Amino acid sequence: LPPPPPRSQPSMISQSRRLLSSIPVTQVATLFRMNCNNESNALALDSFARSSMAAVKASPGWMVSTRTVCKTEWSYEMVHVWSNAEDYRKWKESAERAEILEKMPKFIQEECEGMSMEEDVYVGARVWDEL
Protein backbone atom coordinates (compact mmCIF):
# COMPACT_ATOMS: atom_id res chain seq x y z
CA LEU A 1 0.00 0.00 0.00
CA PRO A 2 1.23 3.51 -0.74
CA PRO A 3 1.77 5.80 2.25
CA PRO A 4 -1.14 8.07 3.15
CA PRO A 5 -1.00 11.62 1.82
CA PRO A 6 0.41 14.25 4.18
CA ARG A 7 -2.20 15.90 6.37
CA SER A 8 -2.78 19.58 5.93
CA GLN A 9 -4.68 19.78 9.22
CA PRO A 10 -4.04 18.22 12.62
CA SER A 11 -5.65 14.84 13.14
CA MET A 12 -8.96 14.59 14.96
CA ILE A 13 -7.15 12.92 17.85
CA SER A 14 -4.69 15.78 18.31
CA GLN A 15 -7.50 18.33 17.93
CA SER A 16 -9.58 16.59 20.58
CA ARG A 17 -6.59 16.40 22.94
CA ARG A 18 -6.11 20.15 22.64
CA LEU A 19 -9.81 20.77 23.25
CA LEU A 20 -9.78 18.55 26.34
CA SER A 21 -6.58 20.04 27.76
CA SER A 22 -7.14 21.97 30.96
CA ILE A 23 -3.61 23.37 31.07
CA PRO A 24 -3.68 26.80 29.45
CA VAL A 25 -0.60 27.88 27.54
CA THR A 26 0.25 31.39 28.56
CA GLN A 27 3.93 31.72 29.39
CA VAL A 28 6.35 29.36 27.63
CA ALA A 29 9.81 28.26 28.74
CA THR A 30 12.65 26.65 26.91
CA LEU A 31 14.73 24.23 28.98
CA PHE A 32 18.33 23.16 28.49
CA ARG A 33 19.19 20.20 30.71
CA MET A 34 22.56 18.48 30.75
CA ASN A 35 24.82 16.33 32.86
CA CYS A 36 27.89 18.53 33.19
CA ASN A 37 29.95 15.93 35.14
CA ASN A 38 31.94 18.38 37.29
CA GLU A 39 32.31 21.93 38.56
CA SER A 40 34.76 22.97 35.87
CA ASN A 41 32.22 22.10 33.16
CA ALA A 42 29.46 23.91 35.08
CA LEU A 43 31.59 27.06 35.17
CA ALA A 44 32.31 26.73 31.45
CA LEU A 45 28.57 26.39 30.74
CA ASP A 46 27.95 29.50 32.87
CA SER A 47 30.41 31.35 30.64
CA PHE A 48 28.60 30.21 27.50
CA ALA A 49 25.24 31.17 29.02
CA ARG A 50 26.48 34.67 29.93
CA SER A 51 27.78 35.17 26.39
CA SER A 52 24.32 34.27 25.00
CA MET A 53 22.19 36.33 27.37
CA ALA A 54 22.22 39.59 25.41
CA ALA A 55 20.51 37.89 22.47
CA VAL A 56 18.01 36.11 24.72
CA LYS A 57 17.14 39.27 26.68
CA ALA A 58 16.63 41.25 23.45
CA SER A 59 14.00 38.77 22.29
CA PRO A 60 10.47 40.24 22.43
CA GLY A 61 8.46 38.75 25.29
CA TRP A 62 11.50 37.46 27.23
CA MET A 63 10.76 37.59 30.95
CA VAL A 64 13.42 35.79 32.97
CA SER A 65 16.22 33.24 32.78
CA THR A 66 17.32 30.91 35.56
CA ARG A 67 20.10 28.41 36.04
CA THR A 68 20.23 25.56 38.54
CA VAL A 69 23.07 23.14 39.26
CA CYS A 70 22.89 20.00 41.38
CA LYS A 71 26.39 19.56 42.78
CA THR A 72 25.65 15.95 43.76
CA GLU A 73 24.49 14.71 40.34
CA TRP A 74 26.08 17.55 38.33
CA SER A 75 22.77 18.23 36.64
CA TYR A 76 22.85 21.67 34.96
CA GLU A 77 19.60 23.33 33.87
CA MET A 78 18.95 26.66 32.21
CA VAL A 79 15.43 27.97 31.64
CA HIS A 80 14.39 31.02 29.59
CA VAL A 81 10.77 32.19 29.90
CA TRP A 82 8.65 34.12 27.38
CA SER A 83 5.41 35.93 28.20
CA ASN A 84 3.37 34.13 25.53
CA ALA A 85 3.47 31.32 22.98
CA GLU A 86 3.73 33.67 19.98
CA ASP A 87 6.86 35.43 21.29
CA TYR A 88 8.38 32.03 22.15
CA ARG A 89 7.64 30.81 18.61
CA LYS A 90 9.37 33.90 17.19
CA TRP A 91 12.40 33.22 19.40
CA LYS A 92 12.44 29.56 18.40
CA GLU A 93 12.54 30.55 14.72
CA SER A 94 15.01 33.42 15.17
CA ALA A 95 18.48 33.69 13.67
CA GLU A 96 19.83 34.56 17.13
CA ARG A 97 18.65 31.25 18.61
CA ALA A 98 19.96 29.34 15.60
CA GLU A 99 23.37 30.98 16.06
CA ILE A 100 23.49 30.03 19.76
CA LEU A 101 22.50 26.43 19.00
CA GLU A 102 25.08 26.28 16.20
CA LYS A 103 27.90 27.39 18.55
CA MET A 104 26.88 25.17 21.47
CA PRO A 105 28.16 21.75 20.27
CA LYS A 106 31.62 23.09 19.41
CA PHE A 107 31.82 24.94 22.73
CA ILE A 108 30.85 21.82 24.66
CA GLN A 109 33.34 19.69 22.73
CA GLU A 110 36.19 22.15 23.26
CA GLU A 111 35.47 23.49 26.76
CA CYS A 112 33.59 20.74 28.62
CA GLU A 113 35.64 17.65 29.37
CA GLY A 114 33.77 14.37 28.84
CA MET A 115 30.57 15.97 27.49
CA SER A 116 28.89 15.80 24.10
CA MET A 117 25.90 17.67 22.75
CA GLU A 118 24.33 14.47 21.41
CA GLU A 119 24.59 12.44 24.61
CA ASP A 120 24.46 14.94 27.45
CA VAL A 121 22.17 17.81 26.36
CA TYR A 122 18.36 17.95 26.23
CA VAL A 123 16.49 20.96 24.85
CA GLY A 124 12.70 21.23 25.15
CA ALA A 125 9.77 23.59 25.64
CA ARG A 126 7.44 23.79 28.63
CA VAL A 127 4.29 25.57 29.71
CA TRP A 128 5.50 27.91 32.47
CA ASP A 129 3.42 28.95 35.45
CA GLU A 130 4.41 30.44 38.78
CA LEU A 131 2.46 28.82 41.59
Side-chain angles (χ1 to χ4, degrees):
L1 292 172
R7 294 178 187 239
S8 60
Q9 296 181 337
S11 71
M12 290 181 66
I13 293 172
S14 66
Q15 287 176 340
S16 66
R17 283 184 184 149
R18 267 188 256 147
L19 293 173
L20 297 175
S21 176
S22 60
I23 299 175
V25 178
T26 52
Q27 299 169 348
V28 179
T30 186
L31 165 73
F32 293 84
R33 181 185 322 129
M34 55 206 83
N35 182 345
C36 66
N37 301 321
N38 58 54
E39 189 157 0
S40 175
N41 288 350
L43 292 170
L45 291 168
D46 279 349
S47 171
F48 184 84
R50 280 192 300 277
S51 73
S52 304
M53 284 308 301
V56 175
K57 287 180 177 183
S59 174
W62 172 84
M63 295 175 55
V64 67
S65 294
T66 62
R67 186 268 287 146
T68 63
V69 178
C70 174
K71 293 183 79 168
T72 302
E73 299 173 355
W74 291 110
S75 177
Y76 185 102
E77 297 179 343
M78 170 135 321
V79 175
H80 304 293
V81 182
W82 278 263
S83 60
N84 59 69
E86 181 61 20
D87 284 338
Y88 170 73
R89 184 192 60 74
K90 289 176 185 174
W91 165 254
K92 188 175 176 182
E93 296 171 356
S94 73
E96 293 81 6
R97 179 181 182 268
E99 183 179 337
I100 292 169
L101 291 177
E102 183 179 317
K103 291 178 181 179
M104 196 173 196
K106 183 177 181 188
F107 179 88
I108 288 173
Q109 180 182 3
E110 293 176 358
E111 304 295 329
C112 298
E113 182 181 340
M115 285 183 66
S116 76
M117 185 78 176
E118 296 78 25
E119 294 178 18
D120 297 308
V121 180
Y122 166 82
V123 181
R126 303 285 187 269
V127 173
W128 181 268
D129 290 308
E130 292 185 32
L131 304 177

